[in-house]
Amino acid sequence: MNLDDVAHSEHFTEHGELTDRSRVHRDPGPASPSGDRLRLAEAVENPDLPLAERLAAGGMLALLGDPRITATPATCFVPGAAVPIGLPADEVPYVVAHWAGKGVEESWIAKETPEHTVDIADFWIARYPVTNGEYRTFLADTGLGERPTTWYLGGYPWDRSNHPVAGVRAEHADQYARWLTERTGHPWRLPTEAEWEYAAKGPEGRPYPWEGGFDAEAANTRESGVHTTTPVGAFPAGQAPFGAYDMGGNVEEFTADDYAPYPDGPYVADHLVETMGRYRVARGGSFARFGDLTRTRRRHGAFPGPLYPVGFRLATSRCPS
């Protein structure tokens, strides 16, 4: 056998067949979920329970079927408004100084300037980011061969079916939205950068999706000590003003927009630009990064490599039925 034959042998194929859902998940039964699953779902998002219990409840639902994850994504209504987007230039030094201990540089924050007004129409944003289980269905339906980079050897993480998918490309997030549009007959898309920011900070313009300053109990970032993804909604203290979960921490989320300077703002050729040139803006921070990325105005992106596994959530301009 020559080297070419070895390279093309089944024994050296990195990814196996996509896992058959019926092999690893129980049939959830009737359309109306059982009382046990509903109680577990309530426990995941119960701020009065300790994190360990919320994670345990979410882990059970990953196996039993999570009633919060539905064929038509649950959404939160965001009323249209003329919204101040971005950061006033005179606040840059304060933000840099506040996060200096984590190595935040001025150029990273300068991308958020200047504050400017964007007219946003009514829209609906998904309550949760897209999960591993939902993305598995997309892969099975479309035959897309590229698996998320966080799926070890391409294997569907069935025990994390209700964790947000991460390690996907922006173009595949767009493809997912088109696929779900065809599947449901409802127009889905990724939120624009301005829509994402407004959904995260609300009309009061919160610096973080929750009230007050950074809170390690409100977001799955490095400060939380978990160091991996968690079931969606398991950090209920971080719920954003219009009702969405995980807009700070867990996984960063692609928006619909490539990086460009804000009107009358500086073009910042920071590490992302130097590394990739053009890139899709991601928002929200993740389990693998520090809390500075959970700031609602923070503009970031997906560096190549394992430290930046990015996911996404959906939006729509029409009320889901």
Side-chain angles (χ1 to χ4, degrees):
M1 179 178 286
N2 61 39
L3 290 177
D4 282 343
D5 291 335
V6 170
H8 291 93
S9 166
E10 285 291 320
H11 285 285
F12 294 91
T13 302
E14 181 177 352
H15 293 169
E17 294 293 326
L18 188 64
T19 304
D20 182 345
R21 184 178 176 85
S22 66
R23 296 279 295 172
V24 293
H25 291 303
R26 286 181 53 187
D27 182 342
S32 181
S34 69
D36 287 342
R37 287 196 293 141
L38 291 175
R39 283 188 288 274
L40 287 168
E42 290 176 0
V44 176
E45 298 177 9
N46 184 345
D48 295 326
L49 293 178
L51 176 61
E53 292 187 25
R54 300 197 304 269
L55 297 183
M60 290 293 292
L61 287 176
L63 304 176
L64 298 174
D66 195 325
R68 302 173 301 157
I69 312 303
T70 52
T72 297
T75 58
C76 306
F77 175 59
V78 182
V83 180
I85 294 295
L87 186 73
D90 61 3
E91 294 186 22
V92 171
Y94 167 78
V95 173
V96 174
H98 185 77
W99 288 101
K102 304 302 182 188
V104 170
E105 299 183 11
E106 183 175 346
S107 63
W108 303 354
I109 308 305
K111 288 190 296 189
E112 302 170 20
T113 66
E115 186 177 56
H116 58 290
T117 299
V118 176
D119 290 321
I120 294 176
D122 290 355
F123 73 102
W124 289 257
I125 194 159
R127 186 175 299 275
Y128 311 107
V130 171
T131 62
N132 286 314
E134 292 172 299
Y135 202 79
R136 191 218 68 88
T137 302
F138 159 69
L139 293 179
D141 226 25
T142 61
L144 178 68
E146 186 172 327
R147 310 280 174 83
T149 59
T150 55
W151 292 13
Y152 180 63
L153 295 181
Y156 164 54
W158 44 269
D159 56 337
R160 294 182 283 127
S161 64
N162 58 357
H163 291 217
V165 70
V168 301
R169 290 196 276 163
E171 55 265 39
H172 292 157
D174 293 333
Q175 187 176 342
Y176 182 98
R178 292 192 295 270
W179 165 80
L180 191 64
T181 295
E182 294 174 1
R183 186 179 176 90
T184 64
H186 183 89
W188 296 99
R189 57 180 175 78
L190 269 60
T192 67
E193 196 182 357
E195 287 175 334
W196 195 102
E197 181 173 319
Y198 186 47
K201 71 185 183 182
E204 63 269 45
R206 294 179 183 178
Y208 300 89
W210 51 89
E211 292 184 290
F214 178 71
D215 181 359
E217 298 300 317
N220 180 12
T221 61
R222 277 196 169 176
E223 290 90 344
S224 78
V226 177
H227 304 312
T228 187
T229 57
T230 47
V232 295
F235 282 76
Q239 189 174 20
F242 296 106
Y245 288 89
D246 295 312
M247 297 199 81
N250 217 351
V251 299
E252 282 191 80
E253 300 173 9
F254 284 119
T255 68
D257 299 318
D258 287 345
Y259 167 67
Y262 285 152
D264 299 320
Y267 178 81
V268 178
D270 65 0
H271 300 103
L272 280 162
V273 171
E274 291 174 357
T275 303
M276 298 184 294
R278 180 178 177 179
Y279 67 90
R280 187 77 68 88
V281 172
R283 295 287 197 120
S286 79
F287 72 92
R289 310 309 303 143
F290 291 108
D292 61 291
L293 285 170
T294 65
R295 293 180 48 254
T296 55
R297 293 158 178 82
R298 187 76 149 83
R299 310 178 78 192
H300 200 241
F303 271 111
L307 278 179
Y308 297 91
V310 178
F312 62 102
R313 79 175 65 219
L314 298 175
T316 178
S317 299
R318 202 173 81 198
C319 180
S321 54

